[in-house]
Amino acid sequence: MPPTIILAALLFAAPAPAKATTPAELEASAWRLMKPYREAEIRALFAPDLITLYADGRHDLAQEMRAIGAVRLSKYALGPISSHSIDANNILLTYSVDLRGTVGNRPVSDRRWVASLWHRSHGKWLTVYHTEIKAK
């Protein structure tokens, strides 16, 4: 599994804590759901028609959940999350993350640049798009 899938899995895998109300708060909380891995809570943050994009191609929700399940995160540090309002119901988040862990049996340790698009539908924020690239 490509290392870029790790981050997407980590980023979107957020528990929705009672006080997490903004996409940035939800995005940050996703990281906490990865240790330990909480599949149902992670899935609840994704729109059914989620699209993720990595070096190995486009992924749907089922592919993303399989990728997230292969991630074992030992350490991470998020850079400042920038929130860009597209309109009242769409927010683009951009940030960096430094992470350590494994994908399958392969160790991963690097910095990545991340972008996530959150959409509000029926009063609930869900991730509709996510991508990440390894920093140089």
Side-chain angles (χ1 to χ4, degrees), residues 115-132:
S116 294
L117 180 62
W118 288 76
H119 174 73
R120 182 171 40 200
S121 179
H122 306 291
K124 183 176 181 181
W125 288 103
L126 295 173
T127 306
V128 295
Y129 175 77
H130 177 83
T131 190
E132 58 191 66

Side-chain angles (χ1 to χ4, degrees), residues 58-111:
R58 177 184 162 160
H59 298 252
D60 63 17
L61 177 59
Q63 292 166 309
E64 188 65 17
M65 292 308 299
R66 280 193 299 275
I68 292 169
V71 175
R72 296 297 173 257
L73 183 62
S74 60
K75 185 177 181 180
Y76 71 91
L78 300 180
I81 297 176
S82 294
S83 182
H84 311 275
S85 178
I86 296 169
D87 58 36
N89 294 313
N90 294 284
I91 303 288
L92 176 66
L93 304 177
T94 58
Y95 59 97
S96 65
V97 62
D98 294 311
L99 61 90
R100 264 190 211 158
T102 59
V103 175
N105 293 324
R106 192 180 67 217
V108 176
S109 178
D110 56 34
R111 171 173 283 179

